[in-house]
Amino acid sequence: FGDCAPGVKLSADLIKSLAINTSRGDELSYLLEELPDFRLNRFGTLRNLKGWSLPEPKMPDELYRYFKGIGWIVTRKSWQDKLTAVLAVKAGNNGEPHNHIDVGQFIFHVFGEDFLCDLGSGIYDRAYFGESRYENPFCGADGHSLIFINGKGEGIGERFYGRIVEFKPEEKFDVILLDLTRAYPSWLVDKVERKLTFLKDRSEGGLILEDEVKTKKKTSIESRLQIQGKPRIITDKEVVLKGHLGNVCIKVEKPKNVHIRIGELRNLKARERRRAAKYLSILADDVSDIKFVVKVLPFRDTKELK
């Protein structure tokens, strides 16, 4: 989230040091063993030449981590399956260090890919840290999976925030409820809630997204999803994202009178090159009270999809 690079290489010597000096040392030793070399910076510092006596590796007992201080949850279907489904969700506020307008942003990862993604950081130039920072989709609401009211996103600054009001990790599914009302101007909304149900009882996992919004007066309300993979429209309410090792079906269940549109952010100044990024838009016009329900279901082949 925020100004993190889309692909992060972790420092092996830092993990080793934490494994020795923290109470979760056995789990950090497990992490070190499980990470492939391309995700580790093994020769980043001279400390890697040192001999380490690490705790015995132990697979974590829990499938989730809840970071209450910053309002983040990361949960997964399994530790054993490298291609398993993983969900990361953030609340927080819009005045954080290296801030993006992203209260309520989430990432859905499966088959080794972020199908519902975060763009990460853009080019660090003068404009990126200037007054026009949030006009850049990397930093602004436009580049995130958020709710837009009358075409506008969340407010800017620390006073615009969200809270995780409920987290229920269960055997078959996890429920995460976010109150995002105060991420928007008080004169605009009465209620903005996002509920994510992370499915663990399907073979490939899954997600049900429910966005509920009540505004002061009738307007347009949009739920937007940043996507990766090759999109293919199946019906006006159903899109398939094709990946390298599997696919994801995204289907609007409610309301019945809306449809999915594929949008694109073009000419983005990314670190490696100028690029484009696609998103799904689910838009309702002339409403003041609405609830979007969207299913996100990974699958490998057509038989499984049916």
Side-chain angles (χ1 to χ4, degrees):
F1 298 121
D3 267 348
C4 187
V8 181
K9 183 174 279 192
L10 300 177
S11 171
D13 63 308
L14 177 58
I15 297 175
K16 291 174 182 177
S17 181
L18 289 170
I20 292 171
N21 294 292
T22 70
S23 61
R24 296 290 181 103
D26 50 1
E27 296 178 357
L28 287 162
S29 292
Y30 170 81
L31 173 67
L32 199 62
E33 284 195 348
E34 293 298 308
L35 281 171
D37 283 353
F38 70 85
R39 295 295 300 275
L40 285 173
N41 183 3
R42 292 188 175 276
F43 306 105
T45 71
L46 291 175
R47 286 195 298 267
N48 276 313
L49 300 177
K50 174 184 175 182
W52 300 83
S53 180
L54 299 177
E56 194 69 24
K58 175 181 174 293
M59 183 187 299
D61 295 324
E62 298 168 335
L63 294 171
Y64 65 88
R65 286 287 182 266
Y66 184 7
F67 304 98
K68 292 185 178 181
I70 55 174
W72 289 23
I73 292 174
V74 184
T75 185
R76 63 180 54 234
K77 184 177 181 294
S78 164
W79 282 107
Q80 293 95 330
D81 183 0
K82 299 293 191 298
L83 300 180
T84 195
V86 183
L87 174 68
V89 183
K90 80 176 293 291
N93 67 70
N94 283 328
E96 297 167 341
H98 286 258
N99 182 68
H100 288 193
I101 306 302
D102 64 351
V103 175
Q105 167 75 351
F106 65 95
I107 298 167
F108 183 75
H109 176 98
V110 67
F111 305 129
E113 297 182 63
D114 294 348
F115 283 91
L116 300 182
C117 65
D118 191 293
L119 297 181
S121 58
I123 292 285
Y124 279 17
D125 56 16
R126 185 184 298 272
Y128 194 82
F129 290 101
E131 293 182 358
S132 61
R133 175 177 177 84
Y134 297 119
E135 297 173 15
N136 185 332
F138 280 102
C139 304
D142 284 349
H144 296 85
S145 297
L146 300 178
I147 296 162
F148 293 80
I149 300 170
N150 196 25
K152 302 188 184 307
E154 300 167 350
I156 300 171
E158 192 172 349
R159 66 189 181 94
F160 295 98
Y161 65 90
R163 296 186 300 117
I164 297 174
V165 295
E166 183 181 21
F167 176 45
K168 291 174 59 178
E170 305 283 353
E171 182 181 352
K172 294 185 176 181
F173 55 84
D174 298 340
V175 175
I176 303 167
L177 179 63
L178 298 100
D179 183 355
L180 308 177
T181 308
R182 294 185 180 275
Y184 296 84
S186 58
W187 54 264
L188 183 62
V189 301
D190 287 325
K191 177 182 181 180
V192 184
E193 282 189 353
R194 167 163 283 180
K195 180 180 177 182
L196 301 106
T197 304
F198 181 65
L199 307 176
K200 295 183 284 188
D201 56 350
R202 293 184 76 252
S203 60
E204 311 294 355
L207 174 68
I208 300 174
L209 171 69
E210 300 173 69
D211 286 338
E212 188 172 355
V213 182
K214 294 181 180 180
T215 56
K216 299 289 187 183
K217 60 181 182 180
K218 287 188 174 183
T219 183
S220 65
I221 302 175
E222 175 190 10
S223 183
R224 183 179 296 188
L225 302 175
Q226 294 294 326
I227 60 172
Q228 287 188 143
K230 187 176 181 180
R232 179 166 62 95
I233 296 176
I234 307 300
T235 69
D236 61 355
K237 295 186 185 336
E238 195 170 1
V239 171
V240 165
L241 304 178
K242 183 173 177 56
H244 298 293
L245 300 176
N247 316 288
V248 167
C249 177
I250 300 175
K251 184 177 183 179
V252 178
E253 295 286 344
K254 295 179 182 180
K256 297 297 183 184
N257 59 341
V258 300
H259 61 273
I260 295 178
R261 179 179 66 86
I262 298 177
E264 187 173 47
L265 302 167
R266 299 181 179 179
N267 205 29
L268 300 176
K269 289 174 66 178
R271 294 192 177 192
E272 65 278 8
R273 64 187 187 284
R274 288 187 180 269
R275 53 169 286 204
K278 287 184 169 59
Y279 63 87
L280 302 183
S281 171
I282 307 162
L283 178 68
D285 285 316
D286 197 29
V287 293
S288 60
D289 186 350
I290 197 164
K291 183 176 183 178
F292 298 106
V293 180
V294 182
K295 286 184 177 178
V296 182
L297 302 177
F299 68 98
R300 293 183 186 271
D301 53 43
T302 305
K303 181 180 178 182
E304 189 177 3
L305 174 62
K306 289 180 179 177

